[in-house]
Amino acid sequence: MNEQMNHTMSEQNKNSTLRGIRIQTLSFWIVACTLVVAVLIGLGIVDVLNECRDLVNMTKEYILTQNDVMNMSLGSDYLTEKARQYVITQDPRYADAYFTEADVTQRRDQALQSMQDHLRGNDEVSLQRLADSLSLSNALMDQEIHAMKLAALSVDADLLALPTRLRDYPLTREEQDYSPQKMRDTAYDLVFGTGYQEAKKETTDTIASVTTSVISSCSTRQLERENSMQNALIRQSIYTTLIVLLVILAYLMIAALILKPIRVYINCMKNNNALDITGAYEFKYLAITYNNVYRMAVANQNMLRYKAETDALTGLLNREAFEQLKIRFHDIPHPITLLLIDVDVFKSINDNYGHETGDRALIRTASLLRDNFRAHDHVLRIGGDEFAVIMEENHAGRTEIIRDKIDRINWALQHPQGDLPKFSLSVGVAFSEEGYEDELFRQADQALYKTKENGRCGCTFYD
């Protein structure tokens, strides 16, 4: 399927190379046509002074309005981005950034105020649409804050460290009784679900409609002045020369700011890299937007990979991760140590104390293993009550260090806190000086079996 898609895209690229108007040719005809228009404008000069001022003011209003629309859109999208980032990561920095935009920067409110200032009643329809978009964005804010509050509670975050509006956001009694997982799922649905997407699209469409409204208003005002343009062409003779220079300059800018960035972007995309920030403003904006989506996709892939390789109960790496590590270390000629670990009489813990206590025993075991081994050692749960540790750059002469770690862990398990029962671990250890070998697992397993034969609660090294 992918090969077919790649083949189709390749064919499309070939077709686009063979057919279509070249930018250089198009630029040449633009310059030629502009020269003809400049001659016609020069022949039709009558008077431009007063109407030129009106047209300049209208252009300024249009540019300012477009900036306001852009700021409204950027502010709304920024709030959405920070709310989603907080729901995903629960990093308080995103919550702070969110409320800084909402309560301090206020790009959306400032955009509406700016538009009211420079339009001054000339376009009430556009003003009303921008106000409507602000109302829709504010409605989304309530949903975003709701999602962030649930996300914060799902990880038992310190509410005092969060912004006041988020901390004081009320939840229903039913929501407060949700499990952490349900809180996370509800939070994700609030900012990623279909309902949110539809509301976001409605907001975006309303913001976009402001541009349509402004264009329509400008067109109407231009038509009203067509009859008076005869008296507004005095300065057009000066602009004729400027048009010629601007068109030539535009041609040079197209080559430097459009053609060159396009080639750079194509190479970046072929190499599956982020885009270089280069070229005209629009291209820089495109590159930044693309890079944000690119990084988000990479982050999502990493998150999915993490979930696939992590044991849900203990938070350790799982069997799938163990298989990947075996492949990774197979061809690396560095010394490694493999520990295979079993929880002694784990079945009796489940039978006598219940599966919940058994799960707590596994969690306690995982915690002790993680705390006693090095940060760069790989601690895994590879089965029900089976654990493993892969130690990199660890030589066979360090047996006493490993034995001391296991003894400390077993001592802690033999002196439990709370209502956990006493239990212990049996460990088998095997060394390899040439990375992971096929015999390494069998050797560690034989050492583990020897530990169990000798009464459990100990550590045996394969000889």
Side-chain angles (χ1 to χ4, degrees), residues 4-17:
Q4 292 178 351
M5 292 177 63
N6 291 334
H7 179 73
T8 302
M9 292 176 65
S10 176
E11 291 299 322
Q12 291 176 349
N13 291 334
K14 290 180 181 178
N15 292 336
S16 64
T17 302

Side-chain angles (χ1 to χ4, degrees), residues 110-364:
Q110 291 180 7
L112 180 59
Q113 182 61 48
S114 173
M115 192 168 176
Q116 290 173 341
D117 292 341
H118 64 72
L119 285 183
R120 297 174 184 171
N122 290 334
D123 190 354
E124 293 294 337
V125 175
S126 297
L127 280 172
Q128 184 57 48
R129 290 186 179 181
L130 195 64
D132 291 342
S133 66
L134 178 59
S135 298
L136 291 171
S137 182
N138 286 335
L140 282 177
M141 280 185 64
D142 182 77
Q143 194 166 339
E144 292 163 353
I145 296 173
H146 189 178
M148 288 193 290
K149 182 64 174 287
L150 288 172
L153 292 179
S154 71
V155 295
D156 198 22
D158 182 7
L159 296 181
L160 294 177
L162 298 176
T164 303
R165 289 178 62 186
L166 178 57
R167 183 172 63 246
D168 296 339
Y169 186 87
L171 296 178
T172 65
R173 173 59 62 182
E174 180 182 0
E175 290 174 330
Q176 294 175 9
D177 293 336
Y178 282 173
S179 67
Q181 183 61 47
K182 187 169 184 181
M183 286 183 177
R184 284 192 292 272
D185 292 343
T186 305
Y188 268 73
D189 186 63
L190 283 171
V191 293
F192 290 99
T194 302
Y196 182 86
Q197 297 289 354
E198 292 175 353
K200 183 65 178 177
K201 184 179 184 302
E202 181 182 1
T203 303
T204 303
D205 291 344
T206 304
I207 294 174
S209 71
V210 178
T211 300
T212 304
S213 174
V214 170
I215 293 174
S216 176
S217 175
C218 289
S219 298
T220 302
R221 293 168 63 188
Q222 285 177 336
L223 290 174
E224 293 174 354
R225 284 168 174 75
E226 281 183 355
N227 295 329
S228 59
M229 280 295 294
Q230 299 289 328
N231 301 318
L233 297 175
I234 292 177
R235 303 171 81 178
Q236 287 293 7
S237 57
I238 300 173
Y239 296 153
T240 301
T241 304
L242 294 177
I243 288 175
V244 174
L245 297 175
L246 288 172
V247 170
I248 295 174
L249 179 62
Y251 174 79
L252 297 176
M253 292 177 65
I254 286 173
L257 301 179
I258 297 179
L259 296 178
K260 182 179 178 180
I262 287 175
R263 289 194 294 267
V264 172
Y265 291 177
I266 289 174
N267 290 332
C268 290
M269 291 180 180
K270 284 181 178 179
N271 296 325
N272 196 28
N273 295 329
L275 300 184
D276 293 337
I277 310 301
T278 185
Y281 168 81
E282 292 80 4
F283 279 87
K284 291 179 179 178
Y285 184 85
L286 173 64
I288 292 171
T289 304
Y290 175 89
N291 290 345
N292 288 337
V293 176
Y294 175 84
R295 293 187 183 99
M296 186 176 294
V298 171
N300 287 337
Q301 290 176 355
N302 291 336
M303 181 176 65
L304 292 174
R305 187 180 299 111
Y306 173 80
K307 290 183 176 180
E309 296 180 354
T310 304
D311 176 59
L313 176 64
T314 63
L316 299 179
L317 298 174
N318 60 16
R319 184 72 187 219
E320 176 64 25
F322 182 66
E323 297 299 326
Q324 295 299 322
L325 288 171
K326 287 165 57 178
I327 297 173
R328 171 182 164 187
F329 292 125
H330 190 273
D331 298 321
I332 300 178
H334 294 300
I336 65 170
T337 302
L338 174 64
L339 289 76
L340 293 183
I341 304 163
D342 274 1
V343 177
D344 295 331
V345 295
F346 179 71
K347 184 176 183 301
S348 67
I349 296 176
N350 280 333
D351 293 342
N352 296 329
Y353 297 94
H355 288 280
E356 181 180 353
T357 300
D359 288 345
R360 289 168 54 208
L362 293 176
I363 293 171
R364 175 62 173 161

